[in-house]
Amino acid sequence: MVFTRFVELGRVVLITYGPLEGKLAVIVNIIDQNKALIDGPSTVNGVERQAISFKRIALTDIVLPGVTPGMNVKSLTKKWEKADAQAKWDASSWAKRRAVRAARAKLNDFDRFKLRKARRKVAHARHIALKAAKA
Amino acid sequence: MAKNVLVKGVPRHSKSSQYRRKGLQYIKNKTTTPKKSIVNKNGGKWYSTVDISGRKLAKKGRGTAVLRKSITKGTVLILLAGRHVGKRVIFLKQLPSGLLLVTGPYHINGVPLRRVDQAYVIATSTKVDLKGVSLPDDFSEELVCRPKAKTVGGKSEKAFFATKKKGRHAFPKPTDARIAASKAVDAQVLERVNKVPYLKEYLARGFSLDNGDYPHLMQF
């Protein structure tokens, strides 16, 4: 496997720290070794153009092709929509895992109990099916 | 301000003048001299430089505890202390003493009609609809108080050694009235509990934390 997830123009990143945590953004310029200029695009998800430390973002597999240094928001939005970035992200297992985790954190005590019950039921059914298949 | 020390070891003011400057004569009999008389001694024109506090009177006695907003009739609580620690119970009402009246119900998890302090419970967001559930007419807080222990075999030396192994105190069994009240309430509560799927199993299960469970981050 060759490593292909690079810091580059048009790379879609996930913000992992601060008030914008969990939001997506696109790298529109690279400032130095520590910081990049990102934009939501602000028209799409409200992340304004800003410098951000690489420590506070995680790179995703998605890249918008043809993003030029400091590209304006309007053109960037077009690129975003053309690449269908949001849908690609939502379909990724990373996003799905995040959604599940967020949903679980919201469960109350009773919900957690019911979830445990349901998981047991599934595991039990799987166990029986497996036994039958082996026999 | 003048130096308080002329040379090392030689203070500017003598011991007796220091005594006066510090006003020590007024605090010598601290507990017996009320502040008022000192202030008014010279026609109220000067104040003592020393605060002499009189004995403070106790303020009003503490009132009953204010019930947490998260606890309402039918709220499922998790007990954090006592012999039923970790069990999930249903809150019925706050008693005059400020303690919470709860029930397991007894049939489900062995918790009878009982009092607990709200400081030792976690209030969950789960509520059981207890509309119309009522306590018996003759219910009073004394009914669910812990009965006083009786010393077994009197206070003689012989009795002390004879009963040491078993324990010297015998707690009387719950009164018939208490059992009756518990049964009467539980019958009504059980009916409501059975209406909600999985609720009965939920109440029967104890609460515990697993690896990676952080109670301060969890929703209840």
Side-chain angles (χ1 to χ4, degrees):
Chain A
M1 277 288 280
V2 186
F3 193 79
T4 50
R5 215 188 262 178
F6 299 115
V7 172
E8 62 188 309
L9 293 179
R11 172 70 65 184
V12 176
V13 298
L14 177 73
I15 300 171
T16 57
Y17 187 91
L20 295 172
E21 187 181 348
K23 293 210 170 191
L24 293 178
V26 185
I27 295 180
V28 288
N29 215 337
I30 293 154
I31 298 169
D32 58 26
Q33 283 192 329
N34 298 317
K35 277 176 281 173
L37 189 67
I38 57 165
D39 200 309
S42 52
T43 47
V44 176
N45 57 20
V47 177
E48 294 292 334
R49 189 160 293 215
Q50 62 188 282
I52 195 165
S53 167
F54 286 122
K55 285 180 182 174
R56 299 184 173 191
I57 54 179
L59 306 174
T60 72
D61 273 337
I62 310 159
V63 190
L64 310 186
V67 173
T68 52
M71 181 180 247
N72 65 36
V73 180
K74 205 174 160 190
S75 323
L76 189 68
T77 310
K78 270 184 199 161
K79 298 269 181 204
W80 174 274
E81 267 147 22
K82 201 179 168 199
D84 220 3
Q86 188 65 48
K88 272 185 197 162
W89 167 249
D90 291 339
S92 69
S93 61
W94 184 358
K96 282 177 191 162
R97 242 177 21 242
R98 277 182 64 89
V100 168
R101 200 173 298 164
R104 280 208 181 168
K106 272 187 195 164
L107 296 184
N108 69 21
D109 197 41
F110 190 25
D111 293 335
R112 278 195 294 273
F113 175 80
K114 284 188 275 192
L115 177 69
R116 214 169 294 147
K117 272 262 165 195
R119 279 167 61 89
R120 279 193 160 197
K121 225 178 210 175
V122 171
H124 185 61
R126 188 187 292 139
H127 181 71
I128 287 174
L130 211 64
K131 243 186 168 180
K134 271 183 187 172
Chain B
M1 198 185 140
K3 265 188 182 175
N4 285 334
V5 179
L6 291 174
V7 196
K8 196 178 181 188
V10 184
R12 178 173 290 274
H13 303 288
S14 70
K15 200 175 178 186
S16 61
S17 72
Q18 291 252 38
Y19 184 80
R20 207 141 273 280
R21 278 156 62 82
K22 285 182 183 169
L24 291 176
Q25 71 269 32
Y26 300 121
I27 55 173
K28 206 164 67 173
N29 298 322
K30 201 173 170 180
T31 48
T32 53
T33 321
K35 197 175 178 182
K36 238 183 186 174
S37 66
I38 296 167
V39 173
N40 292 333
K41 207 172 171 187
N42 288 353
K45 287 191 175 175
W46 57 277
Y47 294 90
S48 168
T49 54
V50 184
D51 280 333
I52 297 159
S53 51
R55 201 174 156 198
K56 275 178 190 163
L57 284 171
K59 283 185 184 168
K60 258 196 293 181
R62 270 186 261 160
T64 51
V66 178
L67 192 62
R68 258 188 271 161
K69 267 185 194 165
S70 51
I71 303 176
T72 55
K73 192 177 181 185
T75 301
V76 175
L77 308 174
I78 299 168
L79 301 183
L80 299 177
R83 70 180 301 163
H84 296 293
V85 60
K87 287 184 185 175
R88 293 168 174 130
V89 298
I90 296 173
F91 169 70
L92 297 170
K93 69 178 272 194
Q94 190 180 30
L95 296 168
S97 66
L99 295 172
L100 315 181
L101 183 67
V102 301
T103 182
Y106 187 75
H107 176 69
I108 293 178
N109 56 20
V111 183
L113 206 57
R114 199 169 204 278
R115 300 187 305 169
V116 292
D117 190 325
Q118 65 172 337
Y120 296 109
V121 301
I122 294 174
T124 72
S125 56
T126 309
K127 311 226 184 261
V128 187
D129 182 20
L130 290 188
K131 222 176 243 175
V133 170
S134 59
L135 295 170
D137 292 335
D138 58 345
F139 180 84
S140 67
E141 187 163 357
E142 286 75 48
L143 202 64
V144 286
C145 284
R146 183 178 178 148
K148 279 205 167 166
K150 277 181 190 160
T151 309
V152 176
K155 286 186 174 175
S156 71
E157 194 180 333
K158 205 178 166 191
F160 179 81
F161 286 110
T163 55
K164 209 176 178 186
K165 276 181 189 167
K166 285 183 196 164
R168 286 261 290 157
H169 303 293
F171 287 99
K173 285 188 173 167
T175 58
D176 290 342
R178 183 174 183 175
I179 294 171
S182 194
K183 276 185 178 169
V185 175
D186 280 3
Q188 300 174 61
V189 175
L190 258 177
E191 195 186 308
R192 312 303 169 101
V193 168
N194 286 335
K195 278 183 189 165
V196 186
Y198 294 111
L199 186 60
K200 198 175 168 187
E201 291 99 312
Y202 172 62
L203 292 171
R205 269 271 173 197
F207 172 78
S208 67
L209 288 171
D210 222 330
N211 283 345
D213 284 347
Y214 304 113
H216 58 289
L217 297 178
M218 280 154 77
Q219 303 283 320
F220 286 94

